[in-house]
Each structure stands twice: as structure tokens, then as C-alpha cells.
Amino acid sequence: MTHSDEVAHNTFQSAANVQIGRYNTQKNIANYTLPPSPLDITADELARVVGAQWQREAGARRLLTPAPLPVRWKVSHRRVAGPVAGATTERAGARFAPVPGLRPTTREDLRRGGGLTDLHAVYGGLASGRLLLVGPPAAGKTAAAVLLLLAAIEHRKSAAPIDRTRIPVPVLLSLDGWDPARASALEWGVERLSREYTLFRGRGGRERAKQLLETAKVTLLLDGFDEVTGKLRAAMLRALEPAPFRLVLVSRSTEAVLTAKKSRLGGAVALELQPVDTSEAAAYLLDPLPATPPPAWQALVGCLVDREARDSPVARALTNPLAIALLRDAYADDGPVDELLDGTRFPDPRAVEDHLLDRVVIEAYTPRPGLPRPRYSPETAERTLQYIATQLAQKGTRNLEWWHLPSWVDPRPRAVFLGALLGLMCLAACYIVFATIVDPVWAFLIGASGAAMAGLSTAAGITLLNHPQPLPSAGWRDIFPPKAVLFGIENWLLWGTLAWLTARLIDAPLPAWTIYLGTSAIGFATMMASGRGYQLVNMTVLGIGTTRPAMNELRQQLTPQLTSETRSIGPRDVWRHHAGLRLVLGILTGLSVALFAGLTGWMFGPWKAAGIALLAGIGPTLWAVLVDNLAVTTAFTAMELSLREGTAVRLISFLDDAHRRNLLRATGSLYQFRHARLQERLSREPRGRAG
């Protein structure tokens, strides 16, 4: 027996010896790992989805390739937060323990400043868990927040499993739409998580989101603080004060200072992003170029590294991350970039930035040898973006919600076209059905009255959809919640059984399968009427009574909170899903109405019953597919805008293309201009400038 075996099997109960050898209890405890809890599994899945989402978006924004610009920060000297000591453990106890793998942040760490790695260390080691990231316009605040999020995700991914459960998942959200008077920070966070990620759909999902926030397993990075009104900003800070999770708040410096005069976020430390050093800007611009850069680029970079020329307008402009990013987008490798050195044309940094903003759209849609030809001309692209920017400026928002597009145009042309289309189809169907039953003249009169009703109801529906709409359900579970499905099945079996018993009592020669098939439409109608699909059957024989108060109360009990307004997919994907859902749902509704009406008219014969079924089913189908469908309405709106304004015909496809060309960015189901300055510049320019 070796010495080690003797130690391992030593029965001496000394406190020292019992902790030695193969049966070391401390070693066993360290190596023993409990299986992850359901909440930890949810957090891991959220981290995977968030990481993939922002990795794609960072790639689209060109934050990763070429290598990102260095992020430099210092503690802000502006009066936007309390003393630095209040955010560390040097004055009070820690509200949050340091993230595993990081040490507590000290005042010396904050005063020293640093780069992205140091920013992540401050984020994870700050005892108060409250961080303000501020800077002037176009300082790269959102880009820094995205890079911080990716760094935090990577840190969590590389941690040991036992530590990973204590590392929060960072989630970047926009503050638009939050009213602190109606919802606390926790309630709003739960609602936004359930809207952004299908992982938190339904009551169970919302409960998991709430638990993640309450246990600080999620950190919220909140962007767009400077885009809300002053009163709301102060109320938001007061509402965020008691939040049980870590916070990173991104804002312009001016708005942060104005808000701090009314309210401050207790325990927060404000870090201000610093201008880019000209030598770092030169290295960033040279990185994607050939080993021997073209002469024009050499001249520009020489201006940046020349100490005597660093006070030139172009050198001062290129200390701004926005201008640096625009420069790479506005000029190709062989572009005349040295024209920016002309002090007469560009007397100040603002003139340089305006010129880059003017070129970036044209350059994005200019054909290049060896690359696929852009689907849109520079003139069409600029007209479309100018129109969109002008509309957003008039509405005082940066968020482009595609389901609001119908409210941008007069609904009357669309109402006349669709009303006439559905009216003519109704006239034809009525005439075909009733011409075999009554005199052709009466059949035409009946068809004309039906066509008038169809046209008027269509026009009314178009007018309603013309008002700005919240995005309706984009998921099956919102239309068919489990309780509504069960309620529909119960009603189908009840009415089917009653009809079968009635047929037996009166000796009607109807097989049981025909009875249950006929009453299946009643079950489907009940299912639709008790969920969010009730509007599709409202004006049909299956939807009688769907708007009564008692039915509204029943719907509230059977239908969970709306959870799929947005998804973690892009806006175009939500548009496609919404269009497909309404299409299938309309066809199902039409088939149910047709089945119910056809079996009811079976006494007139099979052919007449088929005609009655066609007449009854075509109305709700066309209503759901063409009228009560925001995706289709948006497509008609785009056609009208194209005829009137010269914008792109396939507007949703254009927006997706502009996102790929880094002119727009996607946040959930919303589009925004890549830079606020780009939106401002386009909204002020007259249309047709590119031409």
C-alpha cells in the first residue's frame, strides 16, 4: 500500500486528516454540481438567443469587421449622477455582488478610465449596479452598448457552469412606449421581454421573465433615454430606482444633464465616451485597404497623423465615430476621398459630416464592378428614405413601424379599389347562386344589394385600418389560446350530440358523421369568437353575438395577454408571418362559414348547396385576406406611395435591403435610421436631390 493510499483510507478523525485524499469532503463538494434549475436553463437559452441576435445586428452595423473602433471612456464631469463613492462599496454596502470572474470596482478604477474591457469590468463589478453611458450626439453610444453586451455574453459563455448561473444575461431594449405612471420598471421589463422573445410567451413565459428580473439574472441595457420627453425621463429614473436588476442607461449628455436637475438615479456612476484619437481613426480606415493604399486615402490618413494638420476640419470631424463610419461607407477604395481636405468646400467639421451623410445613400446604391447590381436606383432609394425620414420627423419619432404605414396616405383610393373589387365578386357570386332559384332580374337585384353592402363594409374596414394600429397578433397561440380551443371543442361536441339526438327523435336519415361534420363549424366559430380571431367572423353567420358584453368578458378570461406583438426576428419576418397567418386564418374561416351554409342549404340540392356555400364563404375569406390584413394593406399603401411620391413599390423589401446596406437598423420588429443625424439630414433635404 502506498503512502497516498494510507492517507486516503486513514480512519483517524483529525480535522486536518479528514480533508486529505480521495475522500476529501471539500474536494467532493467543489466537484459536485447540482443539475441546473429550470430558471437557469431559461437564462442560458435567453443568452444564446440574445447573443445570436446582436451578433447578427453587429455584423449588419459593421461593428465587428473591420476591427471595431476603440471605446474610450472617463467618469463624466457633468452633473448627471451622484458621487462616485456612492456607486462602490467604499461608502455603503454592495447592492450587487461582483459578477463571477470580475473584481469589485473601486473609485480608482473609475477615475482611471479605460476601454471596452475596462467598461465591462466596471459593468460587472459596480456595487450599485447602476451605470450611465453618456456622450454627445454621434459619439457611438449605441455601438458601445452593443459591444458591451457582446462582451458580457462572451464572458458568461466562457465561465464555468457553477459560475454561469450567477452571471446575468444582458438584454438591450429601447425605452420607447414606457409610461412609468402605468407600469413599474419590473412590469415594463416583463412586458418587453415577452414581446421581444418568444421564449417568454404565455403566462408561464411571463412568469419566468419576472423571476429572471427579480433574481437579477437579467441586466437591462436601456437605449433611447434621450428620445423621450423631459417629464417622462424624470419619471423613468424614479421608477428605475427600486428595480431589482442591474441597469445600463444610454443617453446623450445634454438630456442627461437636464433630467438630473429634476431627478437622479441613485447610486449611478456616469461614464462619458471620449473622442476617437486621430491615430486610431487612421488605423481603422487603413485596415480594410490594400497594403499600399490608393493616393487619395494616403493623403487623408496623412492629414490625420500629421500633428500640424490635426486641427483641420476633416481631422476634427474624424474624431467622431459617426463620421468615421460614414467615411468608410461613403467612399469606395478608389473614391476621391481626398476632396475632404479642401478647406474652402468644407470649412468646419459639420460641413464634412453633412457631405458624408449626402454621399452615403448614393454610394450604397451605386453599382460596383464584380458586385450584384442594386435592386433600386440611387434616386429611388433617396426619395424613399427622404419621404420616410420626413414622415418620422413630423411624428416626432425615430421608430419606423411598418403597421403604421397605412396612416401615412389618404385611405379613400384604397377603399374605393378594394370596395369595388369585393363588390363585383359578391355581385357575381350572388347572381350565380340566385339565378337558379329566382328570376334573373331578381337575382341581379339581390346581387346588387349584396355588392353594395360588401363595398360599404369594405370601405369602412379600410378606414379603420388607416388609423395607426398596434401590431396585432403574429402568432397562432394569440388567435387560438388553449382555453379557447378547449371551449370550442366542448361546444362542437355538445351541439353535435344534440343534433344527433334530434335526428334520431324525428327519424331523419342523416348519418352521424354528416351531423358532426356540419356542427364542426359551430365549434370553430366558438373557438374564433372566444379568441382574438373574433373580428374575422364578426360579420358572418358564425359571428352572431361576438361583440356582446358577455362575450367580451368571456374572451378576457379565455385569452392570455398578447405576447407576440414583436419577436426576436426582423421586421420583414414579422410582416411575412403576419400575412401568412391572416391568409390561412381567413381561408379556415371561409371554409367553416361555407360548410355551415352549404349543409343548411342541402335541401335545395347539392349544386345549389355548393353555390350557397361559395357565396357564404367567399365574403369572410376575402375580408380576412384583403381587408382585415395589415400586411396586405401595407402593400397597397406602398403602391399608392410609389405612384404619388416615386418611392419603392415593394416597400417592405426596400426597408430590408436598406438594413442590409447599413442605412437602417432593426430593433425587434422596428426599423430605425442607422444614425439620428442621417434621419435629420434626409428630412430637411428637398426630394430629388440625388437626381
Side-chain angles (χ1 to χ4, degrees):
M1 180 180 295
T2 64
H3 176 71
S4 61
D5 287 335
E6 291 176 354
V7 173
H9 294 85
N10 191 344
T11 56
F12 182 63
Q13 299 300 314
S14 162
N17 287 346
V18 79
Q19 302 302 334
I20 301 174
R22 196 161 57 239
Y23 302 115
N24 182 338
T25 57
Q26 291 181 350
K27 181 178 178 181
N28 289 342
I29 292 174
N31 290 337
Y32 179 72
T33 303
L34 291 173
S37 67
L39 197 60
D40 291 330
I41 294 175
T42 301
D44 289 342
E45 178 63 14
L46 176 63
R48 184 191 65 79
V49 173
V50 170
Q53 172 192 3
W54 287 105
Q55 195 76 26
R56 290 193 304 269
E57 189 63 24
R61 300 185 189 189
R62 301 177 190 171
L63 298 179
L64 305 177
T65 304
L69 275 170
V71 176
R72 306 293 182 195
W73 58 269
K74 290 183 179 179
V75 174
S76 178
H77 65 278
R78 307 174 193 269
R79 296 181 178 180
V80 296
V84 171
T88 65
T89 58
E90 298 169 37
R91 174 173 293 185
R95 185 174 183 179
F96 296 93
V99 169
L102 301 175
R103 61 180 180 83
T105 300
T106 64
R107 280 187 291 180
E108 183 61 30
D109 296 329
L110 295 171
R111 289 169 179 166
R112 189 185 308 119
L116 180 61
T117 302
D118 305 296
L119 179 62
H120 175 250
V122 170
Y123 152 84
L126 204 61
S128 65
R130 300 290 186 262
L131 180 63
L132 294 178
L133 195 60
V134 300
K141 299 178 292 295
T142 301
V146 172
L147 293 174
L148 173 60
L149 180 145
L150 293 176
I153 288 288
E154 186 59 32
H155 177 77
R156 190 180 191 277
K157 183 178 178 181
S158 61
I162 194 171
D163 291 331
R164 192 177 301 142
T165 59
R166 296 184 288 124
I167 301 179
V169 180
V171 177
L172 179 58
L173 299 174
S174 174
L175 280 166
D176 65 284
W178 178 28
D179 184 359
R182 297 183 178 181
S184 66
L186 179 63
E187 293 169 340
W188 175 81
V190 171
E191 176 64 23
R192 284 304 300 269
L193 287 176
S194 67
R195 287 171 52 193
E196 294 285 345
Y197 301 101
T198 55
L199 180 65
F200 302 113
R201 295 178 64 177
R203 293 183 180 178
R206 293 173 65 87
E207 184 60 32
R208 289 192 298 271
K210 182 179 180 181
Q211 291 175 7
L212 288 175
L213 291 171
E214 288 178 335
T215 56
K217 291 183 178 292
V218 166
T219 296
L220 293 188
L221 285 70
L222 304 176
D223 196 8
F225 182 70
D226 46 68
E227 296 173 9
V228 299
T229 60
K231 292 182 179 180
L232 271 181
R233 288 199 301 267
M236 284 178 178
L237 289 186
R238 289 190 290 267
L240 289 171
E241 182 77 33
F245 42 82
R246 292 178 180 268
L247 288 170
V248 178
L249 199 59
V250 182
S251 173
R252 291 183 179 181
S253 304
T254 302
E255 284 77 2
V257 171
L258 293 175
T259 307
K261 295 179 180 180
K262 301 178 181 179
S263 179
R264 293 185 181 182
L265 188 60
V269 62
L271 306 183
E272 187 157 1
L273 295 179
Q274 302 299 300
V276 179
D277 185 78
T278 52
S279 61
E280 294 175 337
Y284 177 83
L285 294 173
L286 287 175
D287 186 59
L289 294 174
T292 303
W297 284 95
Q298 291 185 28
L300 178 68
V301 171
C303 175
L304 296 180
V305 298
D306 186 355
R307 291 185 177 276
E308 296 182 358
R310 286 189 177 183
D311 196 40
S312 64
V314 66
R316 283 184 288 144
L318 293 179
T319 61
N320 186 324
L322 169 62
I324 297 172
L326 289 175
L327 181 64
R328 282 303 310 166
D329 292 340
Y331 288 96
D333 291 355
D334 57 350
V337 67
D338 55 342
E339 66 182 356
L340 297 174
L341 301 176
D342 187 347
T344 303
R345 289 181 59 191
F346 309 107
D348 53 52
R350 182 79 172 191
V352 175
E353 188 176 301
D354 287 344
H355 175 72
L356 294 175
L357 289 169
D358 291 342
R359 279 189 61 94
V360 70
V361 176
I362 301 174
E363 188 69 21
Y365 288 93
T366 298
R368 296 293 173 193
L371 297 177
R373 185 177 182 83
R375 298 169 58 185
Y376 307 94
S377 67
E379 294 80 12
T380 299
E382 191 164 36
R383 278 196 301 268
T384 305
L385 292 173
Q386 284 174 349
Y387 179 79
I388 292 172
T390 302
Q391 291 294 320
L392 295 180
Q394 291 176 355
K395 293 169 175 55
T397 181
R398 289 195 61 203
N399 296 330
L400 174 56
E401 300 164 317
W402 63 259
W403 54 94
H404 284 181
L405 290 176
S407 66
W408 292 7
V409 297
D410 187 351
R412 286 176 293 184
R414 193 168 66 251
V416 170
F417 173 74
L418 288 178
L421 177 63
L422 266 69
L424 289 175
M425 297 184 72
C426 181
L427 173 62
C430 287
Y431 185 81
I432 292 173
V433 171
F434 288 102
T436 60
I437 302 176
V438 297
D439 185 82
V441 176
W442 281 104
F444 179 81
L445 293 176
I446 294 173
S449 61
M453 293 178 60
L456 291 175
S457 61
T458 299
I462 292 296
T463 304
L464 291 176
L465 277 183
N466 192 66
H467 298 293
Q469 300 286 319
L471 181 63
S473 169
W476 290 101
R477 291 188 61 183
D478 289 331
I479 296 293
F480 299 118
K483 290 184 178 179
V485 173
L486 182 61
F487 186 61
I489 293 174
E490 291 175 350
N491 274 269
W492 169 50
L493 295 176
L494 173 63
W495 285 100
T497 303
L498 289 176
W500 178 75
L501 291 174
T502 303
R504 292 291 300 271
L505 289 174
I506 62 175
D507 293 328
L510 293 175
W513 68 269
T514 59
I515 295 176
Y516 279 98
L517 180 62
T519 54
S520 64
I522 299 177
F524 180 78
T526 307
M527 190 188 311
M528 293 281 290
S530 55
R532 288 193 174 87
Y534 74 95
Q535 292 178 336
L536 299 183
V537 298
N538 183 26
M539 300 177 66
T540 68
V541 294
L542 298 179
I544 298 174
T546 54
T547 57
R548 292 180 179 176
M551 199 64 199
N552 290 331
E553 294 179 7
L554 177 64
R555 239 186 326 267
Q556 292 178 1
Q557 297 176 7
L558 298 180
T559 308
Q561 300 243 343
L562 186 63
T563 58
S564 58
E565 292 183 5
T566 63
R567 300 168 67 90
S568 59
I569 55 179
R572 192 181 184 189
D573 296 318
V574 176
W575 182 81
R576 284 175 169 173
H577 186 68
H578 182 73
L581 174 69
R582 286 289 179 172
L583 174 63
V584 175
L585 203 56
I587 293 174
L588 289 176
T589 304
L591 287 176
S592 293
V593 174
L595 180 64
F596 183 84
L599 290 176
T600 303
W602 192 260
M603 66 185 69
F604 299 109
W607 289 107
K608 293 182 180 180
I612 294 173
L614 174 65
L615 176 63
I618 195 172
T621 301
L622 292 177
W623 179 274
V625 174
L626 295 179
V627 180
D628 193 34
N629 190 333
L630 273 172
V632 174
T633 303
T634 303
F636 279 113
T637 301
M639 294 172 60
E640 184 177 346
L641 287 175
S642 179
L643 294 173
R644 195 182 71 188
E645 304 287 342
T647 58
V649 178
R650 299 174 59 191
L651 191 54
I652 301 298
S653 297
F654 171 81
L655 296 175
D656 184 60
D657 185 67
H659 176 237
R660 289 198 302 269
R661 296 180 186 276
N662 205 25
L663 297 174
L664 301 177
R665 64 187 185 189
T667 304
S669 65
L670 308 175
Y671 282 119
Q672 293 178 336
F673 278 89
R674 174 188 170 191
H675 304 292
R677 281 279 292 120
L678 178 59
Q679 177 181 330
E680 294 169 5
R681 182 70 176 172
L682 287 169
S683 65
R684 293 174 183 173
E685 289 294 321
R687 294 195 192 111
R689 175 172 53 79

